[in-house]
Amino acid sequence: LKLQLKAQTASLAKMQWQQFQAVPPPAAAGMSHEELIAQVKELQRSDPGAKEQWAAYTDLSGGGRRDPGKHAADYLQSFLSHLQSGVRLPASVPMENPSEGPTVAEAVKVMQRKSMSFKNVWRQFCMDFGGGTNDPAKHPVEFMVKFFDFLGMRAGGGSGPAGG
């Protein structure tokens, strides 16, 4: 059963990452780094959907750094291509804003204290996919989201994601 769950989780994680990586060729090729920064900043100011996608994109692959000036030109080009592709990432989970309630890492810590079953599943997931690091604060939010997807899949009978 453990091997089956491990294979299902690895498959789910791979499918999610491939979905996020399915980006067409850069739409902003040939633009300077400064022009790319200006374009991303303008999109953030003028388009709430683009601003949400920037937040999700940076949380997924940019270390949560929201300032476009802190990213290389190819990263900004990749984001603009992603935005143009029409593929939408799920909205970001708040990182560390106390006014928005507890962080995902704090929630995982509370659940570890409250439930031995949760703690054991979290520990195994971290061993299998997180390099053995059990402290949720040392994992990116997307790792914890994949863990919760894994829990949901287990709770749903391990049938995998609907619509693949």
Side-chain angles (χ1 to χ4, degrees):
L1 178 62
K2 182 179 171 183
L3 289 175
Q4 180 184 12
L5 291 174
K6 185 175 179 179
Q8 288 174 343
T9 303
S11 176
L12 174 63
K14 183 177 179 183
M15 287 181 350
Q16 288 174 334
W17 186 246
Q18 286 172 341
Q19 174 190 357
F20 296 143
Q21 293 297 306
V23 178
M31 293 178 73
S32 72
H33 188 232
E34 292 76 23
E35 291 170 324
L36 291 165
I37 292 169
Q39 185 171 3
V40 171
K41 285 183 176 184
E42 179 56 33
L43 282 168
Q44 288 179 319
R45 284 189 291 269
S46 65
D47 182 347
K51 183 175 183 175
E52 182 179 278
Q53 284 302 292
W54 174 250
Y57 194 82
T58 57
D59 284 348
L60 178 67
S61 63
R65 288 184 310 241
R66 304 280 166 82
D67 180 358
K70 302 288 184 188
H71 294 281
D74 61 339
Y75 184 84
L76 299 173
Q77 287 175 336
S78 179
F79 167 71
L80 293 170
S81 294
H82 155 74
L83 195 61
Q84 186 180 29
S85 75
V87 173
R88 294 294 170 247
L89 299 172
S92 290
V93 178
M95 294 296 274
E96 296 294 332
N97 188 346
S99 68
E100 295 184 30
T103 65
V104 177
E106 290 166 346
V108 170
K109 286 180 180 184
V110 167
M111 288 303 300
Q112 286 183 82
R113 288 191 294 269
K114 301 278 185 186
S115 168
M116 186 55 71
S117 296
F118 183 96
K119 183 176 184 173
N120 290 336
V121 173
W122 170 256
R123 183 180 298 139
Q124 188 60 51
F125 190 84
C126 291
M127 288 298 290
D128 293 343
F129 305 104
T133 301
N134 290 332
D135 183 354
K138 295 185 179 181
H139 289 287
V141 171
E142 56 271 11
F143 178 82
M144 290 177 274
V145 170
K146 287 178 184 173
F147 171 71
F148 285 112
D149 283 343
F150 169 76
L151 284 181
M153 190 173 66
R154 276 185 76 172
S159 59

